[in-house]
Amino acid sequence: MQFPESWLREFCNPPIGTQELADLLTMAGLEVEELRPVAPPFSQVVIARVLEVAKHPNADRLNVCQVDAGTGQTLNIVCGAPNVRAGIKVPCALVGAELPPGEDGKPFQIKLGKLRGVESQGMLCSARELKLSEDHGGLLILPEDAPVGQNLREYLRLDDTLFTLKLTPNLAHALSVYGVAREVSALTGAPLKSPSFTPAEVRHDQVLPVRIEAPDLCGRFSGRVIRNVNTQVRTPDWIVERLERCGQRSVSPLVDISNYVMFELGRPSHIFDLGKIHGGLAVRWARKGETLELLNGNTVELDEQVGVIADDKAVESLAGIMGGEATAVSDSTRDIYLEAAFWWPEAVAGRSRRFNFSTDAGHRFERGVDPATTVEHIERITQLILQICGGEAGPIDDHVVNLPQRTPVTLRVDRASKVIGMPVTQEQCAGVFRRLGLEFVEEPGRLTVTPPSWRFDLRIEEDLIEEVIRVLGYQHLPDTPPIAPVVPRTRPERQRGLHAVRHALAALDYQETVNFSFVEDRWERDFAGNDRPIQLLNPIASNLSVMRSSLIGSLVQVLRFNLARKASRVRVFEIGRVFLRDPAVPESDTTVAGVAQPLRVCALAYGPALPLQWGCGDRLVDFYDVKGDLEQLFAPRAVTLQKAEHPALHPGRSAAVWVEGRCVGHVGELHPRWKQAYELPHAPLVFELDAQAVSERSVPQYRPIPRQQSVWRDIAVIVGESVTHDALMAAVEAADAQGLVRGATLFDIYKPKDPTPEIGADERSLALRLELLDEEATLTDERIEAAVQAVVGSLATRVGARLRG
């Protein structure tokens, strides 16, 4: 929120400087993000009247002007502005003046000089030369009543500062100049000048019929008919100036007045062209299929989740967000309907984001606007309309159907002292509440506060404790070290941190990516087989409406993003939480009841297996490349893959990842259906693992170097086509070889093109290398042969293998 300091000081003017005021607001929770002067420094620029204009004798594009600058003598000034003419009042920089720096960063000084042989005793200025705006169409023409000779900074009130506040969502009461002034008064004790609302004289009895059909949308609706207004008048300069300094451009008198009161008092309002309303107004939820052309030119399609104001024929406004084009005021408008309402924050929140825009009105209403002052604010808007546009005001029609309940909140003084971390007395707490304008009832050690209508954020005891310390001042908190000893939390040696996992994946040529935890509903169905994902009540975008239960969809979206930018090789990973329904999860300070939030590690590989190089041929990454990455990630722990299906993966090219007897995730190629649905040229390889399992590691154990040498023997066996590598290794381990088999490696697979008498059509030959070792004694041929025969026997028994001849 942006506003000029001078406007704030009209409501509350504490005896402190600008920087001290900014620091005070920041320390009270209203962060001042930026302080910026209204205009850059310049000097000796005054208001002057152009008396005469004559062509320069030696230049076609220059004029010689006679100027009265209030100095007592007529100045001769050469000017090249296209809009200079006799009789206008403009800024004049006198000789010796210093103008804002130019592109070189140095101040521009006005000196007595000659232009094409004609002496110039000053300079007539444009708004751009004074750095007041970017308008370079000519001189800055001032109003006719501007006093000649007055300093321009004083006349335009340029010695002012713009405050930009960065407000958190709970500070809706500070989204106006008066709201900030109320805070400043409480913080400094300076008197607050509350605005007065003198009721307008009622000149007619016309009332527009209004029906509130949705009390859960609108709790109060106030309106007034004003007839015979003049919409073609010019908005007064003081309103235009303040709107510009709040970051709002001037549009038309009625719109400007509405915006002015919004910045002044914090209430958005809307003005309808009464002649364009058919019948009466109904405040209701929209119906599916209804459409509305908005003031910004967009036409939106509505549904039952959006509140509207409709007349007897069509929808005319988005409730609390933006008006419609059909009933907008224009230069031909004569009669208007002025509306001010209380919209429930829950009914407005997130609605504008559904249509990809935001408004000042929606920003305020979704945080909460005071429901008690709709009538007073209509009186203020009416006062300005009658003052500027004229007209005849009718009676105010006020409908009150459903206002927020002001639930009392109790503060315990001893609890406040404990939470704040320093002693506070009951009198101090009561003083804070008085300064904030909060009604309360005292009893020993307790104060029960009834929140005022403009404070939507006071709901629990901690809210009141926050008010106490921020008004007393955070700077008064004692600077004390922790009493308890600081004991570092040591990680068990068997567990590595997630940063170590990140480094391990980066070493495997994967790049980390971070994505939203809320995703498209379609991703959950496609990649997780989840038909009941956890829905968000207020999504930041309509397509990001559910919490993810798998990281695969996020990485597929990252892949599509990279492919759209011509990336040919993508290897990415993410470590993040997923969200699963689990009734066994209790409510606590770190958990949400019924929702499990485990950490997962997910990686995706797409495109060439290796970067472009001369040493290896170009080939696409395959299942075994990613399997190798998995084995390195878990090393030295052994990884076992078992055939399994996963909603996101190819049914014949996917597996479950088992480590130390438990399934820790899945790996495989993306399902062809999703490859086609998401328009991917090739199917990527992905794996998703439990982060806790990846973090575990084996603790190194000392083993002496064997004193004996190993012996290797190769055997070739013929097995069925269906025998897997895991089954083969399991048979070797099960052999009764007196503990001599130290390891086994499959180093060759042979299958003839055509069946042979030895190898059938559904068989293949597997070659194994056995490592045999006895650490205590030298192996003899007899013991070696016995061990090999034991392995062969186990292979025959368990997998139906036979030695190849």
Side-chain angles (χ1 to χ4, degrees), residues 286-323:
R287 302 182 181 103
K288 190 172 182 60
E290 289 184 321
T291 60
L292 172 64
E293 182 181 0
L294 298 169
L295 288 173
N296 61 8
N298 295 345
T299 298
V300 295
E301 185 172 341
L302 311 174
D303 58 27
E304 297 87 349
Q305 302 299 315
V306 181
V308 297
I309 302 175
D311 63 15
D312 292 347
K313 289 189 176 181
V315 174
E316 302 297 353
S317 175
L318 274 184
I321 299 174
M322 184 181 289

Short mmCIF file of all heavy atoms in Angstrom, two decimals, residues 286-323:
data_model
loop_
_atom_site.label_atom_id
_atom_site.label_comp_id
_atom_site.label_asym_id
_atom_site.label_seq_id
_atom_site.Cartn_x
_atom_site.Cartn_y
_atom_site.Cartn_z
N ALA A 286 -23.63 -16.81 -8.28
CA ALA A 286 -23.87 -16.93 -9.72
C ALA A 286 -24.42 -18.31 -10.05
O ALA A 286 -24.32 -19.25 -9.26
CB ALA A 286 -22.59 -16.65 -10.49
N ARG A 287 -24.98 -18.40 -11.25
CA ARG A 287 -25.47 -19.68 -11.75
C ARG A 287 -24.55 -20.15 -12.86
O ARG A 287 -24.01 -19.34 -13.62
CB ARG A 287 -26.90 -19.55 -12.26
CG ARG A 287 -27.87 -19.02 -11.20
CD ARG A 287 -29.29 -18.95 -11.71
NE ARG A 287 -30.19 -18.42 -10.69
CZ ARG A 287 -30.66 -17.19 -10.68
NH1 ARG A 287 -30.34 -16.34 -11.67
NH2 ARG A 287 -31.45 -16.77 -9.70
N LYS A 288 -24.34 -21.44 -12.92
CA LYS A 288 -23.43 -21.99 -13.91
C LYS A 288 -23.86 -21.61 -15.32
O LYS A 288 -25.04 -21.73 -15.67
CB LYS A 288 -23.36 -23.52 -13.79
CG LYS A 288 -22.24 -24.15 -14.62
CD LYS A 288 -22.10 -25.62 -14.30
CE LYS A 288 -20.97 -26.26 -15.08
NZ LYS A 288 -19.67 -25.64 -14.80
N GLY A 289 -22.90 -21.13 -16.10
CA GLY A 289 -23.19 -20.73 -17.47
C GLY A 289 -23.40 -19.24 -17.65
O GLY A 289 -23.39 -18.74 -18.78
N GLU A 290 -23.62 -18.50 -16.56
CA GLU A 290 -23.77 -17.05 -16.67
C GLU A 290 -22.43 -16.42 -17.03
O GLU A 290 -21.37 -16.91 -16.64
CB GLU A 290 -24.29 -16.46 -15.36
CG GLU A 290 -25.75 -16.79 -15.08
CD GLU A 290 -26.26 -16.11 -13.82
OE1 GLU A 290 -25.49 -16.04 -12.84
OE2 GLU A 290 -27.42 -15.66 -13.82
N THR A 291 -22.47 -15.31 -17.75
CA THR A 291 -21.26 -14.60 -18.14
C THR A 291 -21.40 -13.13 -17.76
O THR A 291 -22.50 -12.63 -17.54
CB THR A 291 -21.00 -14.72 -19.65
OG1 THR A 291 -22.11 -14.16 -20.37
CG2 THR A 291 -20.79 -16.18 -20.05
N LEU A 292 -20.24 -12.46 -17.71
CA LEU A 292 -20.22 -11.04 -17.35
C LEU A 292 -19.04 -10.37 -18.03
O LEU A 292 -17.91 -10.86 -17.95
CB LEU A 292 -20.10 -10.88 -15.83
CG LEU A 292 -19.87 -9.45 -15.31
CD1 LEU A 292 -21.07 -8.58 -15.63
CD2 LEU A 292 -19.58 -9.47 -13.82
N GLU A 293 -19.32 -9.27 -18.72
CA GLU A 293 -18.24 -8.45 -19.28
C GLU A 293 -17.83 -7.44 -18.21
O GLU A 293 -18.64 -6.62 -17.76
CB GLU A 293 -18.68 -7.72 -20.54
CG GLU A 293 -17.55 -6.91 -21.17
CD GLU A 293 -17.97 -6.14 -22.41
OE1 GLU A 293 -19.15 -6.24 -22.79
OE2 GLU A 293 -17.12 -5.43 -22.96
N LEU A 294 -16.56 -7.50 -17.80
CA LEU A 294 -16.07 -6.68 -16.71
C LEU A 294 -15.59 -5.32 -17.20
O LEU A 294 -15.43 -5.09 -18.41
CB LEU A 294 -14.93 -7.40 -15.99
CG LEU A 294 -15.28 -8.74 -15.33
CD1 LEU A 294 -14.04 -9.47 -14.90
CD2 LEU A 294 -16.21 -8.50 -14.14
N LEU A 295 -15.31 -4.43 -16.26
CA LEU A 295 -14.82 -3.10 -16.60
C LEU A 295 -13.46 -3.14 -17.28
O LEU A 295 -13.10 -2.21 -18.01
CB LEU A 295 -14.73 -2.24 -15.33
CG LEU A 295 -16.07 -1.80 -14.72
CD1 LEU A 295 -15.84 -1.12 -13.38
CD2 LEU A 295 -16.80 -0.87 -15.67
N ASN A 296 -12.68 -4.20 -17.05
CA ASN A 296 -11.36 -4.30 -17.69
C ASN A 296 -11.44 -4.87 -19.10
O ASN A 296 -10.41 -5.09 -19.75
CB ASN A 296 -10.42 -5.14 -16.85
CG ASN A 296 -10.90 -6.57 -16.65
OD1 ASN A 296 -11.89 -7.01 -17.25
ND2 ASN A 296 -10.22 -7.33 -15.80
N GLY A 297 -12.65 -5.12 -19.60
CA GLY A 297 -12.83 -5.63 -20.96
C GLY A 297 -12.90 -7.13 -21.06
O GLY A 297 -13.26 -7.65 -22.13
N ASN A 298 -12.57 -7.86 -20.00
CA ASN A 298 -12.63 -9.32 -20.04
C ASN A 298 -14.06 -9.80 -19.86
O ASN A 298 -14.84 -9.21 -19.09
CB ASN A 298 -11.76 -9.93 -18.94
CG ASN A 298 -10.28 -9.65 -19.14
OD1 ASN A 298 -9.87 -9.24 -20.22
ND2 ASN A 298 -9.49 -9.85 -18.11
N THR A 299 -14.40 -10.87 -20.55
CA THR A 299 -15.69 -11.54 -20.35
C THR A 299 -15.42 -12.86 -19.65
O THR A 299 -14.65 -13.68 -20.16
CB THR A 299 -16.41 -11.77 -21.68
OG1 THR A 299 -16.67 -10.51 -22.30
CG2 THR A 299 -17.73 -12.49 -21.45
N VAL A 300 -16.01 -13.05 -18.47
CA VAL A 300 -15.74 -14.24 -17.67
C VAL A 300 -16.98 -15.11 -17.59
O VAL A 300 -18.11 -14.61 -17.61
CB VAL A 300 -15.26 -13.85 -16.26
CG1 VAL A 300 -13.92 -13.12 -16.33
CG2 VAL A 300 -16.28 -13.00 -15.54
N GLU A 301 -16.73 -16.40 -17.50
CA GLU A 301 -17.82 -17.36 -17.32
C GLU A 301 -17.92 -17.70 -15.85
O GLU A 301 -16.92 -18.00 -15.19
CB GLU A 301 -17.58 -18.62 -18.14
CG GLU A 301 -18.74 -19.60 -18.10
CD GLU A 301 -18.58 -20.75 -19.08
OE1 GLU A 301 -17.77 -20.61 -20.02
OE2 GLU A 301 -19.26 -21.78 -18.89
N LEU A 302 -19.10 -17.67 -15.29
CA LEU A 302 -19.32 -17.79 -13.85
C LEU A 302 -19.86 -19.16 -13.48
O LEU A 302 -20.32 -19.92 -14.33
CB LEU A 302 -20.28 -16.70 -13.38
CG LEU A 302 -19.96 -15.26 -13.85
CD1 LEU A 302 -21.06 -14.31 -13.44
CD2 LEU A 302 -18.61 -14.82 -13.29
N ASP A 303 -19.79 -19.46 -12.18
CA ASP A 303 -20.41 -20.67 -11.65
C ASP A 303 -20.89 -20.40 -10.23
O ASP A 303 -20.86 -19.26 -9.76
CB ASP A 303 -19.43 -21.86 -11.69
CG ASP A 303 -18.16 -21.58 -10.91
OD1 ASP A 303 -18.20 -20.77 -9.96
OD2 ASP A 303 -17.11 -22.16 -11.24
N GLU A 304 -21.31 -21.45 -9.55
CA GLU A 304 -21.96 -21.28 -8.24
C GLU A 304 -21.00 -20.88 -7.14
O GLU A 304 -21.41 -20.59 -6.02
CB GLU A 304 -22.65 -22.60 -7.84
CG GLU A 304 -23.77 -23.04 -8.77
CD GLU A 304 -23.26 -23.86 -9.94
OE1 GLU A 304 -22.01 -23.91 -10.13
OE2 GLU A 304 -24.09 -24.46 -10.65
N GLN A 305 -19.68 -20.83 -7.42
CA GLN A 305 -18.70 -20.46 -6.40
C GLN A 305 -18.40 -18.97 -6.38
O GLN A 305 -17.60 -18.51 -5.57
CB GLN A 305 -17.40 -21.24 -6.65
CG GLN A 305 -17.55 -22.75 -6.64
CD GLN A 305 -18.06 -23.25 -5.32
OE1 GLN A 305 -17.58 -22.83 -4.26
NE2 GLN A 305 -19.03 -24.16 -5.34
N VAL A 306 -19.01 -18.20 -7.27
CA VAL A 306 -18.70 -16.78 -7.41
C VAL A 306 -19.93 -15.96 -7.05
O VAL A 306 -21.03 -16.23 -7.53
CB VAL A 306 -18.25 -16.45 -8.85
CG1 VAL A 306 -17.90 -14.97 -8.98
CG2 VAL A 306 -17.06 -17.31 -9.24
N GLY A 307 -19.74 -14.93 -6.19
CA GLY A 307 -20.84 -14.04 -5.83
C GLY A 307 -21.02 -12.94 -6.85
O GLY A 307 -20.06 -12.43 -7.43
N VAL A 308 -22.27 -12.53 -7.06
CA VAL A 308 -22.57 -11.50 -8.06
C VAL A 308 -23.66 -10.58 -7.54
O VAL A 308 -24.39 -10.89 -6.60
CB VAL A 308 -23.03 -12.12 -9.41
CG1 VAL A 308 -21.94 -12.96 -10.02
CG2 VAL A 308 -24.32 -12.93 -9.23
N ILE A 309 -23.75 -9.40 -8.21
CA ILE A 309 -24.90 -8.51 -8.08
C ILE A 309 -25.58 -8.52 -9.44
O ILE A 309 -24.94 -8.23 -10.45
CB ILE A 309 -24.47 -7.08 -7.70
CG1 ILE A 309 -23.70 -7.07 -6.39
CG2 ILE A 309 -25.69 -6.17 -7.61
CD1 ILE A 309 -23.14 -5.71 -6.02
N ALA A 310 -26.84 -8.87 -9.47
CA ALA A 310 -27.56 -9.02 -10.73
C ALA A 310 -28.84 -8.18 -10.69
O ALA A 310 -29.42 -7.95 -9.61
CB ALA A 310 -27.90 -10.48 -11.01
N ASP A 311 -29.26 -7.71 -11.86
CA ASP A 311 -30.57 -7.07 -11.93
C ASP A 311 -31.58 -8.09 -12.45
O ASP A 311 -31.31 -9.30 -12.47
CB ASP A 311 -30.52 -5.79 -12.77
CG ASP A 311 -30.13 -6.04 -14.22
OD1 ASP A 311 -30.18 -7.21 -14.67
OD2 ASP A 311 -29.78 -5.07 -14.93
N ASP A 312 -32.72 -7.62 -12.91
CA ASP A 312 -33.78 -8.55 -13.32
C ASP A 312 -33.46 -9.26 -14.62
O ASP A 312 -34.14 -10.24 -14.97
CB ASP A 312 -35.11 -7.81 -13.47
CG ASP A 312 -35.63 -7.31 -12.13
OD1 ASP A 312 -35.08 -7.75 -11.09
OD2 ASP A 312 -36.56 -6.48 -12.12
N LYS A 313 -32.43 -8.81 -15.36
CA LYS A 313 -32.12 -9.41 -16.66
C LYS A 313 -30.79 -10.14 -16.70
O LYS A 313 -30.66 -11.16 -17.36
CB LYS A 313 -32.15 -8.33 -17.75
CG LYS A 313 -33.53 -7.81 -18.08
CD LYS A 313 -33.49 -6.91 -19.31
CE LYS A 313 -34.89 -6.46 -19.72
NZ LYS A 313 -34.86 -5.59 -20.94
N ALA A 314 -29.77 -9.61 -16.03
CA ALA A 314 -28.43 -10.18 -16.18
C ALA A 314 -27.58 -9.86 -14.97
O ALA A 314 -27.96 -9.05 -14.10
CB ALA A 314 -27.77 -9.65 -17.46
N VAL A 315 -26.41 -10.49 -14.93
CA VAL A 315 -25.41 -10.19 -13.90
C VAL A 315 -24.75 -8.86 -14.23
O VAL A 315 -24.38 -8.60 -15.38
CB VAL A 315 -24.35 -11.31 -13.84
CG1 VAL A 315 -23.24 -10.95 -12.88
CG2 VAL A 315 -25.01 -12.63 -13.43
N GLU A 316 -24.57 -8.00 -13.20
CA GLU A 316 -24.03 -6.67 -13.44
C GLU A 316 -22.70 -6.42 -12.74
O GLU A 316 -22.01 -5.45 -13.05
CB GLU A 316 -25.03 -5.60 -12.97
CG GLU A 316 -26.40 -5.69 -13.63
CD GLU A 316 -26.35 -5.47 -15.13
OE1 GLU A 316 -25.28 -5.12 -15.64
OE2 GLU A 316 -27.39 -5.68 -15.80
N SER A 317 -22.30 -7.28 -11.80
CA SER A 317 -21.07 -7.01 -11.06
C SER A 317 -20.58 -8.27 -10.39
O SER A 317 -21.39 -9.12 -9.97
CB SER A 317 -21.30 -5.91 -10.02
OG SER A 317 -20.17 -5.70 -9.23
N LEU A 318 -19.24 -8.42 -10.28
CA LEU A 318 -18.65 -9.48 -9.47
C LEU A 318 -18.57 -8.98 -8.04
O LEU A 318 -17.91 -7.97 -7.75
CB LEU A 318 -17.23 -9.81 -9.97
CG LEU A 318 -17.07 -10.83 -11.09
CD1 LEU A 318 -15.59 -11.07 -11.35
CD2 LEU A 318 -17.76 -12.13 -10.76
N ALA A 319 -19.21 -9.65 -7.12
CA ALA A 319 -19.36 -9.17 -5.76
C ALA A 319 -18.00 -8.95 -5.10
O ALA A 319 -17.20 -9.88 -4.99
CB ALA A 319 -20.18 -10.17 -4.94
N GLY A 320 -17.74 -7.72 -4.69
CA GLY A 320 -16.53 -7.39 -3.95
C GLY A 320 -15.27 -7.38 -4.77
O GLY A 320 -14.18 -7.23 -4.22
N ILE A 321 -15.39 -7.51 -6.10
CA ILE A 321 -14.19 -7.61 -6.93
C ILE A 321 -14.16 -6.54 -8.02
O ILE A 321 -13.27 -5.70 -8.07
CB ILE A 321 -14.07 -9.02 -7.56
CG1 ILE A 321 -13.97 -10.08 -6.46
CG2 ILE A 321 -12.88 -9.09 -8.50
CD1 ILE A 321 -14.00 -11.49 -6.96
N MET A 322 -15.15 -6.55 -8.92
CA MET A 322 -15.14 -5.60 -10.02
C MET A 322 -16.53 -5.47 -10.60
O MET A 322 -17.30 -6.44 -10.65
CB MET A 322 -14.16 -6.04 -11.13
CG MET A 322 -14.02 -5.05 -12.27
SD MET A 322 -12.89 -5.62 -13.58
CE MET A 322 -11.32 -5.46 -12.74
N GLY A 323 -16.87 -4.27 -11.06
CA GLY A 323 -18.15 -4.03 -11.69
C GLY A 323 -18.19 -4.49 -13.13
O GLY A 323 -17.16 -4.82 -13.73
#
